[in-house]
Amino acid sequence: MTDTPWTWSAVAAVERLKSGEISPRELLASIRQRVEAVDPLVNALPTLCFDRAERFAGQLEEAAVADRGRLAGLPWPIKDSAAVSGVRTTWGSLAYADHVPETSDYVVEAIEAEGGVIFAKSNTPEFEAGANTFNEVFGRTLNPWNLSRSAGGSSGGAAVAVATGMAFLAQGSDFACSLRYPAAFCNVVGLRPTPGVVPQGPSALPGQVLSVMGPLARNVDDVALALDGMARFDPRDPLSRPCSPASFLAAAQAPRAPARAAFSMTIGMAAVDRAVQGTVGQALDTLVASGLRADEACPDLAASDPAFRTLRAFQFAALRRGVLEQHRDKLKPEVIWNIEQGLKLTALELAGAEADRARVRLAMLEFLDRHGVLITPTAPVEPFPVEQRYVEHIDGQRLATYLDWLVLGYAITVCGCPAISIPCGRTSTGLPVGLQLVGKPHGEAELLRTAAWCEGVLGQSLTRPIDPREHA
């Protein structure tokens, strides 16, 4: 693999854009060549908009370099659950198979304001439901480490694009685990920020805090750069708040071991596959040998399970009940189930879920005050066969619903804390495993410093994109 532009890190690409070594359109052309060579194998970027991207890149080239923003012309794909003006946006659903929005979502505006060049939409399961990226519009996205395996979800297309060099960075979103699980499955880095850091909307439920936007990249520095390009104050989002002038990239480039940490393999709730336990255990031993002080401990997160299930159902009903009424025959069973569960809820059940959420959040905040950071596996299994809709068994234990295997992700979602997944090793079958680090709300800078230190010790992050043909 030669040192062609698509092999660069995002940080290096931006440096070369700013120095004039390469122009935005030249960099975009390199990405286009990579997409044409690789995407037919993995189906990560089903909708391309290179004509739109070339026009935007040309406009950037007409501006002074200092006025091109922090991203300076870096190409980006957007998940097919966020609107990009003039570009087909389907939410992975036959109900929206031909939808072309006139305006972009706030996060897309934020990225473009910083010089990000949108060139594609990345694949997602229907309405982001389920952590395996497939839908009836575009089909399955395949894991580049083994083309018979799942890429995770719901930001699976984004994670695959980053891992294979079809993107330097990618925008994703995270409800239960949708940035973190694909990152773990594809050996990349995925960051779920605190609600409000990255603007969201427009939305019929603007005050929700379960689903957030965030970035994926091949290393911690790059994911920090991506967050710099996404985070901004937007008064249209009621959760948005003024951003610190400090750079997230600067924080990541000053790695630091945490003063203290806690580790839990199961958070007292999750079934975790023995292969994942072994890989994560080895990674923790390596970190401890390098100076990490980690106690085996976890807050009581049991109430996060009923809270999440109730609030998730409510959110699906609030946002998707119209689709159910008009297009029931076009929806997959999991989406129908989520919406119908939400429509059955009572005010008493919602009040109970909010009380559970408040209790779990306070328990987590008190725990992080004592321990600084919580470390867990990211996902409980290695990438599974892509034909499976979801994980039904873990080490012989049957799971009751399609949500059960997501608990390592959604227990943290309920707490409202930022979390990052970094690569920590591979199983005996060569499949990637991720390590999840959880920090305090609006503590992204410190979390990035910790993640960068762990990344340096473990040495598992991708230094170059992978070629899926080598893992077929």
Side-chain angles (χ1 to χ4, degrees):
M1 188 183 294
T2 58
D3 186 32
T4 50
W6 58 262
T7 68
W8 300 341
S9 71
V11 170
V14 167
E15 288 174 349
R16 292 174 182 183
L17 284 165
K18 290 182 175 179
S19 71
E21 180 180 336
I22 193 168
S23 73
R25 280 185 289 190
E26 289 170 337
L27 190 61
L28 183 65
S30 179
I31 287 293
R32 185 170 193 164
Q33 290 176 352
R34 183 62 173 171
V35 170
E36 291 171 350
V38 171
D39 198 56
L41 302 173
V42 292
N43 190 35
L45 302 174
T47 299
L48 303 177
C49 52
F50 278 107
D51 288 347
R52 182 185 189 277
E54 287 169 359
R55 289 193 298 271
F56 189 79
Q59 293 170 10
L60 289 175
E61 290 177 14
E62 294 173 1
V65 172
D67 296 330
R68 294 179 187 173
R70 297 189 189 206
L71 303 171
L74 195 73
W76 278 64
I78 299 295
K79 189 175 177 180
D80 198 27
S81 54
V84 176
S85 62
V87 179
R88 185 185 183 194
T89 300
T90 74
W91 290 275
S93 177
L94 291 172
Y96 287 92
D98 300 314
H99 176 66
V100 178
E102 295 182 1
T103 58
S104 295
D105 278 7
Y106 305 158
V107 67
V108 174
E109 294 178 1
I111 291 169
E112 291 187 326
E114 289 293 345
V117 178
I118 310 305
F119 71 92
K121 303 300 296 294
S122 62
N123 207 19
T124 179
E126 186 174 39
F127 297 120
E128 304 175 318
N132 185 8
T133 299
F134 66 90
N135 59 62
E136 296 300 321
V137 184
F138 299 119
R140 300 185 181 101
T141 294
L142 308 181
N143 191 310
W145 294 92
N146 183 324
L147 296 177
S148 71
R149 299 300 177 112
S150 168
S154 60
S155 303
V160 172
V162 166
T164 58
M166 293 190 291
F168 301 98
L169 311 169
Q171 172 268 341
S173 63
D174 191 294
F175 194 160
C177 59
S178 294
L179 281 156
R180 293 163 285 165
Y181 277 26
F185 276 22
C186 295
N187 209 73
V188 298
V189 178
L191 173 62
R192 175 191 167 91
T194 308
V197 170
V198 176
Q200 297 196 102
S203 172
L205 202 63
Q208 69 81 24
V209 295
L210 293 179
S211 181
V212 302
M213 303 284 187
L216 295 116
R218 287 189 290 274
N219 59 58
V220 175
D221 279 5
D222 283 359
V223 95
L225 170 68
L227 190 59
D228 279 332
M230 299 174 77
R232 74 168 178 174
F233 173 65
D234 190 323
R236 296 170 296 181
D237 177 353
L239 299 176
S240 187
R241 57 188 279 177
C243 297
S244 166
S247 162
F248 292 114
L249 176 58
Q253 291 178 332
R256 182 166 65 202
R260 57 197 186 281
F263 171 77
S264 178
M265 188 69 75
T266 68
I267 62 171
M269 302 168 65
V272 179
D273 180 79
R274 279 171 287 185
V276 170
Q277 289 195 38
T279 304
V280 169
Q282 291 175 4
L284 186 69
D285 289 345
T286 300
L287 293 172
V288 169
S290 296
L292 179 71
R293 296 171 51 197
D295 300 321
E296 190 165 346
C298 185
D300 182 359
L301 300 176
S304 65
D305 184 67
F308 178 79
R309 290 171 187 266
T310 298
L311 296 171
R312 175 189 175 89
F314 167 72
Q315 189 157 321
F316 264 88
L319 295 177
R320 307 299 176 198
R321 64 188 185 279
V323 179
L324 180 65
E325 293 169 358
Q326 299 172 30
H327 301 287
R328 184 188 184 95
D329 60 322
K330 297 179 179 179
L331 303 180
K332 70 179 182 180
E334 294 88 348
V335 170
I336 294 172
W337 178 78
N338 271 296
I339 298 171
E340 290 186 336
Q341 290 296 108
L343 293 173
K344 296 174 185 176
L345 291 171
T346 66
L348 185 62
E349 288 171 319
L350 286 171
E354 290 293 358
D356 285 341
R357 170 159 53 180
R359 186 166 63 255
V360 168
R361 178 178 170 86
L362 287 176
M364 177 62 87
L365 296 181
E366 291 171 359
F367 181 86
L368 293 174
D369 281 341
R370 296 194 305 274
H371 294 280
V373 62
L374 173 63
I375 303 174
T376 77
T378 301
V381 295
E382 64 184 5
F384 54 90
V386 71
E387 294 84 6
Q388 285 182 226
R389 297 179 74 87
Y390 53 88
V391 174
E392 298 180 0
H393 299 85
I394 298 179
D395 276 348
Q397 177 181 331
R398 182 169 180 81
L399 308 181
T401 75
Y402 93 102
L403 293 176
D404 288 21
W405 75 286
L406 312 180
V407 65
L408 284 168
Y410 68 66
I412 306 307
T413 291
V414 170
C415 299
C417 293
I420 189 169
S421 176
I422 63 171
C424 74
R426 284 183 264 170
T427 64
S428 60
T429 58
L431 293 171
V433 175
L435 196 69
Q436 176 174 235
L437 312 176
V438 183
K440 295 180 180 180
H442 293 283
E444 281 79 5
E446 190 59 36
L447 184 62
L448 287 163
R449 290 187 189 98
T450 297
W453 179 82
C454 292
E455 178 182 66
V457 171
L458 296 173
Q460 296 294 326
S461 293
L462 291 173
T463 55
R464 298 173 71 88
I466 66 166
D467 189 335
R469 290 167 290 199
E470 297 175 0
H471 301 275

